[in-house]
Amino acid sequence: MNWRDPLYCGCKINLRLKVTSRRPDGMHELSTLFLPLDFPGDTLELRDAPQLTLTVPEFPELAAEGNLVYKAAKLFAETCGIAPQWHFILHKTAPIAAGLGGGSADAAAALRLLNARYEAFDTPNLAKLALALGADVPFFLTRQPAWATGVGEVLEMVPYPENLPEILIVYPGFPVSAKWAYTHLTPELISPEQAGIKADFTAAFANPSSADWQALCRNDLAVALWKKFPLLTMLREELTAAGAAAVQVSGSGSSLFALFHRNSAAAAADLKNKFGHLHGFRIFTGGKEW
């Protein structure tokens, strides 16, 4: 890759998210299946500059030191012992605090661009740097489907499924913090992962039309969200009625993803007609925003 070229960041959904334990430090151990998506996603550009700066043209309020792009650049500079003389331009498309990993994808893109510029780290050490920014940032360095364990940082790469159902993503217009989702996790849901789950997904990818996607796409964090936010339950009911094979929360929310064997575009158009008046409401499927 050429560091002077804009880098598309992408996003992810969690086809499954099982919380397997709670550690003494308060962090949660997971078994989750990351699926990278090309859309929606942000685009990041890197330019040489007198000092470290960041602009986000569509959302100027996000151009702050708390932005993960800024944090990634600062960490890279400190680790390498070089002056952070860079300007980043982040074109924001992915919803914020939506369970789609947009911020983590941006951080990984910043590391990739800087590493292409300086060739400072091999792959394992760049992943270590990414982990310091967030548990799912290492995943976005490769953007390959992966089973993740630990707090999400131990990755087992899997081939991209060739026969996935159509994926529709709904952002309901409001964010949910990961801290809130984990704080409200029902303790009784914490348990070991289901035996054979990886084989079950492999079989589902091979023959998606006969898979029980709703059972496979479990998310332990979703239980609290269904209770807290009635709109999410309404959307789930609408998507199910439209023929979705599964509807689930992605990550810690608030976005939902729905799997369709066909007609996801028709479902998107219907949802847009019914809920499009809500502030911030967004729908993505078929490579476009509705």
Side-chain angles (χ1 to χ4, degrees), residues 21-35:
S21 68
R22 188 175 188 272
R23 304 193 319 196
D25 63 2
M27 298 290 286
H28 291 82
E29 300 267 341
L30 308 175
S31 169
T32 187
L33 178 54
F34 287 129
L35 182 72

Side-chain angles (χ1 to χ4, degrees), residues 6 41-45 55-58 89-94 106:
D42 305 332
T43 303
L44 188 65
E45 299 179 60
T55 58
V56 188
E58 298 84 359
I89 306 168
L90 176 63
H91 298 283
K92 194 73 183 166
T93 299
D106 298 343

Side-chain angles (χ1 to χ4, degrees), residues 1-2 53 62 67 91 170 175 199 244:
M1 59 180 285
N2 188 330
T53 54
L62 297 181
N67 192 293
H91 298 283
V170 181

